[in-house]
Amino acid sequence: MCRDGCRGRRAPVLSAEDLHISFPGRRGGPAARAVDGVDLTVGAGEIVALVGESGCGKTTLARALLGLVPPTSGTVSFDGRPLDYSPRALKAYRRRAQLVLQDPTGSLNPRHTVYDAVAEGLRVHRAHRVPEDERAAVARALSLAGLRPPERFFLRYPHELSGGQRQRVVIAGALVLEPALIVADEPVASLDASVRGEILALLLRLRAELGLSALIVTHDLGLAWNIADRVAVMYLGRVVESGPVETVLTAPRHPYTKALLSVLPESPLPPTVLTGEPPDPTRIPPGCRFHARCPALAAGAAGVAARCVAEPLPRLRGEGVACHLP
């Protein structure tokens, strides 16, 4: 495990610096600032959880980190080098950084066998020209994903598998190219509770055996607690709190983080229901972007109300919290 203090000594595999991603507004309206100044790093052999409610920009950020969405401004770097967005360079990068999607049923072509689904990446990248090498690589990936003996699954179709087995096939498809990093978007959200623990244990085992780094995108703070070394909490396009998972989830400092934690069944915090919906990303409010929904401000936070409403916060760099409250 990386939680015992190794995280500070690990060089970043993936990093974003002052990343902005905007989408054009409708009918000439203001642009939607989906990601609005984010700094984030994932170290070698580290698992980072990116958490936040739906619509906060975390999936757009994950897609940008994989080169699927070009940033409006800012830099994404892999192994210390800024991404090159030429088609050839992106193809080489995507061999090193793989995506695991939320819905395994939708991720797999129902007409392809398990073998073809896992081998697809090898064929796209022309990784093996000899059929025997391809077969060995597919078998190894399926074994790493926990589908053993792998030959038993070669000729099966997705509809013949359970939900957990389908997710393992998706993970095997990511592992077959031997990446250094995987980005998993809600990797267990569509699975039964009994299977979720198995997939989380698999991801931890892959990190231990392969030194794999991972960015886990989720709205589930319980998942972050069970798997991550560090956590970054995102709200309306920005990271508002970041740090070691034990620090952030046992002693949260930002009111938004406290509200997210308070609804967990095992949380010692009193339940907090946030009022209203997140603001429109085309009309981000002045001052702290959370102030309209902030429970602390609504309770009359002494001495900072004027700052919360009018004074914008600088983007969060590294660990800490972006908040006007003490």
Side-chain angles (χ1 to χ4, degrees):
M1 290 290 290
C2 194
R3 290 188 179 186
D4 56 4
C6 65
R7 54 183 165 263
R9 301 190 296 272
R10 303 230 173 189
V13 170
L14 181 71
S15 63
E17 183 177 359
D18 196 16
L19 199 66
H20 294 255
I21 302 166
S22 298
F23 298 107
R26 294 181 178 179
R27 300 177 182 177
R33 290 146 59 184
V35 176
D36 195 35
V38 167
D39 290 50
L40 186 71
T41 61
V42 181
E46 183 179 43
I47 298 178
V48 176
L50 180 64
V51 303
E53 61 190 331
S54 298
C56 70
K58 57 187 186 296
T59 296
T60 301
L61 174 59
R63 289 171 60 83
L65 294 174
L66 287 168
L68 298 172
V69 176
T72 306
S73 64
T75 306
V76 177
S77 299
F78 184 76
D79 274 349
R81 297 181 180 179
L83 286 193
D84 180 347
Y85 290 90
S86 67
R88 177 173 293 187
L90 281 178
K91 184 177 180 180
Y93 169 57
R94 287 169 187 157
R95 184 168 179 172
R96 303 288 313 282
Q98 284 284 303
L99 174 65
V100 174
L101 292 171
Q102 173 179 350
D103 179 15
T105 303
S107 303
L108 298 172
N109 189 326
R111 298 183 179 182
H112 287 179
T113 64
V114 167
Y115 182 94
D116 288 332
V118 177
E120 183 176 9
L122 295 172
R123 293 167 182 172
V124 167
H125 290 272
R126 299 180 181 178
H128 294 293
R129 299 185 181 274
V130 180
E132 289 76 11
D133 291 343
E134 179 185 279
R135 182 182 176 90
V138 171
R140 176 178 181 272
L142 288 171
S143 293
L144 285 172
L147 295 174
R148 303 186 185 95
E151 293 79 10
R152 195 180 74 175
F153 295 91
F154 279 179
L155 299 181
R156 291 192 182 183
Y157 287 88
H159 71 271
E160 299 177 297
L161 305 175
S162 67
Q165 288 174 330
R166 284 193 290 267
Q167 188 65 296
R168 290 174 186 270
V169 172
V170 171
I171 293 171
L175 295 176
V176 74
L177 290 169
E178 300 181 1
L181 168 81
I182 61 170
V183 175
D185 190 357
E186 300 283 8
V188 297
S190 63
L191 302 177
D192 294 339
S194 59
V195 183
R196 288 163 58 95
E198 296 177 9
I199 299 299
L200 296 182
L202 169 63
L203 293 173
L204 289 171
R205 180 171 59 80
L206 292 173
R207 190 263 295 275
E209 293 181 2
L210 306 178
L212 199 64
S213 303
L215 176 68
I216 308 296
V217 179
T218 182
H219 66 277
D220 185 349
L221 290 174
L223 184 153
W225 172 262
N226 284 312
I227 197 172
D229 303 303
R230 287 191 298 117
V231 61
V233 182
M234 196 167 179
Y235 180 78
L236 198 58
R238 278 205 175 173
V239 174
V240 296
E241 187 165 6
S242 178
V245 68
E246 298 95 335
T247 302
V248 173
L249 299 190
T250 59
R253 298 166 61 194
H254 198 283
Y256 179 60
T257 310
K258 293 178 181 178
L260 293 179
L261 279 168
S262 72
V263 299
L264 295 178
E266 63 274 18
S267 174
L269 299 173
T272 301
V273 179
L274 296 177
T275 59
E277 296 292 328
D280 187 339
T282 64
R283 296 178 178 84
I284 292 178
C288 171
R289 55 191 62 202
F290 185 60
H291 78 257
R293 306 174 71 200
C294 181
L297 195 60
V304 295
R307 295 179 63 197
C308 292
V309 173
E311 184 180 326
L313 288 155
R315 78 178 197 267
L316 184 61
R317 306 183 188 188
E319 298 180 355
V321 60
C323 183
H324 289 301
L325 294 172

